[in-house]
Amino acid sequence: MFSNFLLTAWRNIRRHFSFSLLNVLGLALGIATSILIFLVVRNELSYDSYHVKAKRTYRVTLNAIDFNPSVSMAITPALRNDYPGLEVTQVWFQADGTVKVGEQRYMEKDYCYADEYFTGIFDYQWLEGNKRTALSEPNAVVLTESMAHKYFGKGEAMGQVIKLDNRYDLKVTGVIKDLPPNTHLPFRFLVSFETVRKEINPSTLNFYAIMGGFTYFTTPENFDITKLQSQMHDFVARHWGNELAKEARLPFQPMREIHYDTRYLNNSAMPTVSRETYWALAAVGLLIILIAAINFVNLSTAQAIKRAKEVGVRKVLGADRSQLVRQFLGETAVLVLLALLLGTVASALFLSKAATWLEIKITPAALLDPQVILFIAGVTVGLILIAGLYPAFVQSAFNPVTAFRNMKTPAVRGFSLRKSLVVTQFVISQVLIIGTLVVAYQMDYFKNRDLGFKKEAIVSFFVPDGKKREQLQQQLTTTAGVEAVSFSSGEPSFNSNFAPFSAPDRGIDKDDVTEVKLIDENYTKMFGLTMLAGKPMWRKDANDTLRQVVVNETLIHKLGIQLPDQAIGVRFKGMGRTLTIAGVVQDFQSESKHKLRRPVIIDYSTRGFFRASVKLQPQSILQSMSTIEKEWTAMFPDAMFDYQFLDDRIATFYRQEQKLYTAFRLFVGIAILIGCLGLYGLIAFATVQRTKEVGIRKVLGAPLTSIMFLFSKEFIWLILIAFLIAAPVAYYAMHSWLENFAYHIDISAGIFIVALAASLVIAALTIAWQTIKAAVANPVKALRSE
């Protein structure tokens, strides 16, 4: 019996090859997409889970004006002293540094200074060295495996020496496996904190001496973390005073929540993204596999009409309904298994490309993971049942008396289940289209609107020696293709300095926090900052007790001043002295649009001129950069030239959103393609059902356009019905997503109009071929069709 089912299934596939191919391709696309999404979501939701003590490990953070993952390095020794039962470690993350190995130099990104307690909390696979002692001595470094190969090839790395930032000769005391991709703390190598302890001396730092330091601790088993959290007020008061304890809080952040907590400031190396984003992606995967199943139902029931006579013959010969159900379900299983094979192969081939697009690290080897295999098996069984049961019962229910006549599709209250399924497909597709459009508009808003400063063709780089600043400025100014040069503590989107400010006579008794931009006389013009009142004061007298500064709109609003002109001459306390407002600049976006704009003080001070920014002529950027690199290298031969264009830097603020946008575009395209297959199935069914009607209409003189409209009109109604359902669903979902940003677009009616128009165009293109083929068919053959 089973062999007969397989033989019948194979013959049916060959006889109706085009339908079978559409079924298999639709299911294969759905399966491949669901596997890819499962791998992505599984990877992204497993951050830091590989650490044995992850559930008992926390990061100490700061909540004063904003949530900040970085705390003063003074916290670590105080916490270790007051709570000896905790394992506490200090980590100082570095964005970049210069490494010299022999005569070869490298500019490296992302490394850490870590103390000897670090390896007791964080678990890595050690290839060489003793993890208990590797970071206990000064001038020690632990390399990841890829860095060891990069520096020393296949040679022995242990005991070798590398030079960091032309200052520290570091001895390799350990080599570890490269970090898993799902870590919130990526690094290429670890330098012992003892190397810099004397320079920093954490025990002498004040509470707000934030230097990129992270403090982690692990609790004993069955420890009451809430009790410890409640003691942090007294902890701060005990070490730094009652007044500071009233405003500053030290929230504990569970290690496994760090990657998903978007309240905290983050940099491009340690991005955060909400769990809801990944659950939304998982929902997209579920919807796509649902669309694939709907396609199968539509195509199978359309094909069932052609097999009505076969069913009638089988029933006349004694086949009961259960046998027919098993037969058709078996045919479904064959198609699903073929689709599974194609989908799995496609996902393996496409995985590396998808990983690149989504900026994640997943290899085809992940497909062999038991969890992934179990997921694939579950999807396969689910598809066989969901996609096979309804067509099987429909086909097996044909009455042998009427099986030799044209069958009518079963309906519920005048609206066929098949049409309901197509409406569902269009609902899903339109929700995805609207979502993609909203993300696209928001990405455009991020990159191109309302920044408050110019960013095009501006490159910035570090100045190692401030004493050579004037010499460097002279050379840059005379370089061909250079329009302007400015020195500062950082471009408008670069935050490096913060300071407290207050104004007791205006009701600000407690210190608030402001950014401080130390700039030269070319800064405001080059970056296009808009002066609303007053003018910049370039005073060089550091002893001036009433130092004149420029502030932004947010700061004067904090002072209770609404009009910029009224702020001129107002005094307040900041940067450890009394400051006088000499000018007010229009607000500009100094960090990502996830956060509200901060108060900003802009001051002239050569002590902060460690970054150079150069405005280039767009037509000669490559030649100008080549010349600048040569001049810079000649002036600073012991350092490496590392630069970044301002627009590229701004783009890094939105890496997670860009990944989401890429995922939306990728998967919405797949969903639309699968949906088109389903729509093709419905129009194929409609043309089979109305073959004689089309023939009669042609005999009576109906034109081609009339017949095309005959088939198209009901799909227009289906699309409109789907749109009425999809629009509010999409609006709610995307409005909730936009609430994650301090500044975002409004969801306009135009987005919904574009989505509806796109759906209509896609539907028109999909049904055009089948309807034209039916309309131009020979009416004589149509009338003879039975």
Side-chain angles (χ1 to χ4, degrees), residues 54-206:
K55 293 182 179 180
R56 296 185 286 119
T57 301
Y58 301 83
R59 183 169 69 178
V60 183
T61 65
L62 175 65
N63 178 213
I65 305 302
D66 203 344
F67 287 91
N68 197 322
S70 178
V71 295
S72 170
M73 293 187 185
I75 300 293
T76 303
L79 194 65
R80 186 179 291 130
N81 179 74
D82 289 14
Y83 301 96
L86 302 177
E87 295 180 73
V88 187
T89 187
Q90 175 73 67
V91 180
W92 188 19
F93 187 85
Q94 303 293 304
D96 53 59
T98 303
V99 172
K100 186 176 181 181
V101 183
E103 297 302 317
Q104 188 69 43
R105 292 187 300 173
Y106 307 90
M107 176 59 72
E108 301 293 9
K109 304 288 185 182
D110 308 334
Y111 67 95
C112 295
Y113 291 94
D115 61 25
E116 65 270 28
Y117 303 98
F118 180 84
T119 55
I121 294 177
F122 292 86
D123 295 299
Y124 303 106
Q125 185 177 346
W126 285 74
L127 302 177
E128 295 182 86
N130 187 332
K131 74 173 188 176
R132 294 180 178 83
T133 60
L135 295 172
S136 60
E137 297 294 328
N139 301 100
V141 64
V142 174
L143 303 176
T144 56
E145 186 178 17
S146 60
M147 289 294 100
H149 290 163
K150 179 179 179 179
Y151 297 152
F152 306 108
K154 296 181 180 180
E156 177 65 34
M158 289 291 290
Q160 299 285 351
V161 175
I162 67 173
K163 194 175 191 68
L164 177 63
D165 288 336
N166 297 312
R167 298 179 63 191
Y168 307 112
D169 291 316
L170 307 176
K171 180 181 178 181
V172 178
T173 57
V175 178
I176 62 175
K177 272 280 189 183
D178 286 348
L179 274 60
N182 52 347
T183 177
H184 81 278
L185 188 65
F187 59 81
R188 300 171 189 265
F189 55 86
L190 293 170
V191 182
S192 63
F193 194 79
E194 293 300 317
T195 306
V196 294
R197 184 179 296 277
K198 291 182 179 179
E199 301 174 25
I200 297 174
N201 194 4
S203 60
T204 64
L205 298 175
N206 62 48

Side-chain angles (χ1 to χ4, degrees), residues 1-13 15 307 310 313-315 317-320 322-332 334:
M1 180 67 72
F2 181 72
S3 60
N4 182 56
F5 285 167
L6 289 179
L7 181 60
T8 304
W10 175 245
R11 287 174 176 173
N12 185 61
I13 291 172
R15 187 178 301 116
R307 301 185 66 182
E310 175 192 338
V313 171
R314 286 180 178 274
K315 283 196 170 185
L317 294 176
D320 60 31
S322 63
Q323 289 177 318
L324 293 171
V325 168
R326 289 198 299 273
Q327 175 191 328
F328 293 127
L329 204 57
E331 292 178 10
T332 298
V334 171

Side-chain angles (χ1 to χ4, degrees), residues 456-559:
E456 291 76 18
I458 295 179
V459 64
S460 296
F461 44 87
F462 182 66
V463 180
D465 186 354
K467 296 178 181 179
K468 296 183 179 180
R469 179 182 62 84
E470 293 185 2
Q471 179 184 352
L472 178 61
Q473 185 173 19
Q474 291 176 359
Q475 288 194 0
L476 291 175
T477 303
T478 58
T479 299
V482 172
E483 293 185 0
V485 178
S486 174
F487 290 85
S488 65
S489 59
E491 53 272 25
S493 62
F494 186 92
N495 302 322
S496 60
N497 297 316
F498 296 87
F501 82 94
S502 62
D505 57 335
R506 292 183 171 272
I508 305 178
D509 297 317
K510 295 181 179 179
D511 282 341
D512 204 334
V513 175
T514 177
E515 291 181 36
V516 178
K517 302 283 187 187
L518 305 178
I519 70 173
D520 67 4
E521 61 275 14
N522 302 320
Y523 190 93
T524 55
K525 182 179 180 180
M526 189 178 80
F527 288 107
L529 302 185
T530 303
M531 295 297 301
L532 301 178
K535 60 180 180 179
M537 298 298 293
W538 312 122
R539 299 181 62 90
K540 299 184 180 181
D541 185 3
N543 297 318
D544 184 3
T545 57
L546 299 178
R547 192 179 187 94
Q548 300 186 71
V549 296
V550 174
V551 299
N552 68 343
E553 293 175 276
T554 299
L555 192 144
I556 67 170
H557 293 161
K558 287 268 188 180
L559 297 176

